[in-house]
Amino acid sequence: MKSVSTFALSLALLTSAPAAVVNGNFASPLSTGWTTLGDVSIQSGAAFLTTSTVLDQDDPPAPAGTFNFSAAPAVETGIPGGPEEFAGLATGDLDPEPGAGNFAFEGSVMKQTFNVPAGEFLTFDWQILTNDDANDDYAFITINGVLTVLGTQAVATTGSTPFARESVTSTFSRGFPSAGPVTLAFGIVDTGDFNTTSALRVDNVALVPEPSATILATLLAAGLLVRRRRL
């Protein structure tokens, strides 16, 4: 009986514990709430991850490091402590088509762990910027070690500065039916080659109530207000 009570108490504490993404709008330095690997920085109020090194000429004829924004190089995949392990993946999980010789070469990742109440949604805005024409570099997230591809550089079709192309800004949303801890990682990787730089821009990372619950709460509040006025 004691173990059941202890379990119920632990579950109640987990469910009622404050659940929030720390520094999801990147108003503070990345060291507040986030851990990073590779070229990760804050640019124009958003997190910015690239596949650029520092000393190599990734984007000729541009000088080496032109598209690196943190002075930390992107990190080789497939090594201990590399992007896969950092994002909670197994070695090789970032290779798009290893059987066809299409491998991931290097990348950058950022992550954070937080508690999610049951029924809440994770949302964030994302955008891909690139100098690559091969349509193979891609941006991704992992949630508790499960990989989801956000998009490849093929979605970047509009001219940009300083990158050659950028995508429109899209919003990602994912619901959580059960409460619990979540480790969220964002990443960008070079695949096929490492001759050009691609980047992922992330902003407005937040947990929000289930949309239907929000609407219901609004309607209930409006109904209570009308009732009070009638009284």
Side-chain angles (χ1 to χ4, degrees):
M1 190 67 176
K2 183 178 179 180
S3 62
V4 173
S5 299
T6 302
F7 173 78
L9 177 61
S10 300
L11 182 60
L13 289 173
L14 178 61
T15 304
S16 62
V21 177
V22 177
N23 194 22
N25 61 358
F26 305 103
S28 299
L30 280 171
S31 56
T32 302
W34 300 92
T35 55
T36 65
L37 179 75
D39 182 27
V40 187
S41 62
I42 294 177
Q43 303 295 323
S44 301
F48 205 75
L49 304 83
T50 86
T51 62
S52 178
T53 59
V54 178
L55 300 178
D56 296 327
Q57 192 177 21
D58 293 327
D59 303 86
T66 297
F67 294 91
N68 183 286
F69 297 89
S70 71
V75 177
E76 180 183 351
T77 59
I79 63 172
E84 295 101 332
E85 182 178 322
F86 192 82
L89 300 170
T91 300
D93 280 354
L94 292 177
D95 295 332
E97 296 179 289
N102 189 10
F103 299 95
F105 285 93
E106 59 190 355
S108 299
V109 186
M110 59 184 287
K111 67 180 179 180
Q112 182 177 145
T113 300
F114 45 86
N115 283 332
V116 176
E120 293 227 327
F121 278 68
L122 168 72
T123 67
F124 59 86
D125 299 328
W126 63 274
Q127 181 185 32
I128 292 177
L129 302 92
T130 189
N131 294 323
D132 201 321
D133 294 321
N135 296 330
D136 46 18
D137 297 357
Y138 68 91
F140 66 90
I141 65 167
T142 63
I143 297 177
N144 290 340
V146 178
L147 177 69
T148 298
V149 175
L150 295 174
T152 72
Q153 85 271 27
V155 303
T157 58
T158 305
S160 175
T161 300
F163 286 84
R165 303 188 317 280
E166 65 180 24
S167 70
V168 299
T169 298
S170 300
T171 299
F172 177 96
S173 180
R174 151 78 189 273
F176 294 88
S178 302
V182 167
T183 297
L184 168 68
F186 297 98
I188 182 83
V189 287
D190 264 334
T191 67
D193 61 54
F194 46 83
N195 298 323
T196 47
T197 299
S198 293
L200 169 64
R201 183 179 182 273
V202 178
D203 201 3
N204 302 317
V205 186
L207 291 172
V208 299
E210 183 179 3
S212 59
T214 303
I215 294 171
L216 178 60
T218 302
L219 292 174
L220 286 173
L224 288 173
L225 180 61
V226 170
R227 185 181 177 189
R228 285 175 182 171
R229 285 178 178 173
R230 287 178 178 173
L231 292 175

